[in-house]
Amino acid sequence: MPADTVSVTGWGRTAPTAARLVRPRTYEEMVAAVRECGARGGIARGLGRAYGDAAQNAGGAVFDMTGLDRIHAIDADGGTVLCDAGVSLHRLMEVLLPLGWFVPVTPGTRYVTVGGAIGADIHGKNHHVSGSFARHVLSFELLTADGGIRTVGRDTPLFDATAGGMGLTGVILTATVQLQPVETSLMMVDTERAVDLDDLMARLTATDHLHRYSVAWIDLLARGRSLGRAVLTRGDHAPLDALPDRARRHPLAFRPAQLPAAPAFVPEGLLGRTTVGLFNELWYRKAPVARTGQLQKISTFFHPLDGVPHWNRIYGRGGFVQYQFAVGYGQEDALRRIVHRISAHRCPSFLAVLKRFGEGDPGWLSFPMPGWTLALDIPANLPGLGAFLDELDVEVAAADGRVYLAKDARLRPELLAGMYPRLAEFQALRAELDPRGVFASDLSRRLNF
């Protein structure tokens, strides 16, 4: 089967490593690839949207799963789909929205595969209502290190280890997913400003339960009385009777807009403190003080950046780090301290969002926990960034919080067990299932798990 030695990075375009990229097209080829992956092992990779090094494997094999992309069966009455792990959420939306079904959870991009969605146990703007992606997976087929294929059902140790397990228990081949019914492909969106962090947190706490989807863009360069000012956006799937007559002719149409791709070369420093500060000021001021019931396309509400192919290039050749952490309810002071430190450090992030998580998910290494999560993009060449983020890691760990492994490329291994209390169970099951270390990644070697 095709295999080339290539340089592989995450979406942040940092820490590249060379690996053999294997492109299986059948389950039989996938089994052969696992059996022949060599001493450095292999790791599955979807569309490359993990920001860090979770889908890299220096000196080993990387399995490109996008060739396994069939939709096998759709139950249009019960709302389930059986598909290959290499099917993207974008493809599911194209096929399922005309039938009145939507994916149960989507992150900020629809260009992730179903296998990646399970392996990272992705979350979206609806975690406070719907939990993470794996909560809606009924079963999956898993290719394990011995070359066998297991059908894995919910409420089993192997299911809970694989959900959020970053591909280290095996290669997901197919999955059956429960879907979300919708009447239209439009969203009803409410937007409002929050004047500072405390105002934002109070608004989220008081009214999150009234909406299925909720997220806040936050200005992390604002200081003083404006520290943490934000634009809060909430949404729900629009019912048919909310649409104007013209839109009712094709209520389930899915036609995402596409802009020109970001250029291959972008000058270094384009997204510095001055330019990002100006953007943040304009973005905050142009947002309505309060607006309700605006109709938006699903692609506009959930995936605005997908309209710009290769948008990650705008950070230049140095790439960027996405730092995402969560702290529990009752740790609001820790969140305030961290936001203050980010602002004081003048981190130029124009993509910073704050959300509330609901109940924790069953995955042993799943990221969401009941509490608050903040994600921000930072140019990787910002002076002193590594040491600064190390300090934030310590503060997050001291608050019994955690960082998101699907976006990480730099966490120190000694902090991992405290952030993920079920790590030892994961390691024990993995050692039993894969004693030779067939499945490995740059992430697993860096963090020694």
Side-chain angles (χ1 to χ4, degrees), residues 26-107:
T26 66
Y27 300 153
E28 292 77 15
E29 288 185 352
M30 187 68 254
V31 171
V34 167
R35 288 176 171 166
E36 300 166 5
C37 63
R40 294 285 286 183
I43 195 70
R45 180 182 177 91
L47 289 166
R49 277 354 190 236
Y51 285 77
D53 56 5
Q56 300 174 212
N57 185 26
V62 170
F63 310 127
D64 180 344
M65 299 298 294
T66 57
L68 297 173
D69 60 352
R70 291 167 294 176
I71 296 177
H72 295 280
I74 299 170
D75 180 352
D77 294 322
T80 61
V81 61
L82 169 62
C83 63
D84 284 345
V87 173
S88 70
L89 299 192
H90 173 80
R91 179 63 178 150
L92 288 183
M93 292 176 198
E94 286 184 320
V95 173
L96 297 171
L97 268 169
L99 303 177
W101 297 99
F102 188 59
V103 294
V105 172
T106 177

Side-chain angles (χ1 to χ4, degrees), residues 315-338:
Y315 287 90
R317 293 180 179 176
F320 68 101
V321 173
Q322 180 157 112
Y323 185 71
Q324 183 167 6
F325 68 91
V327 293
Y329 295 123
Q331 293 289 350
E332 286 77 11
D333 283 345
L335 177 60
R336 292 185 184 96
R337 286 195 302 271
I338 292 171

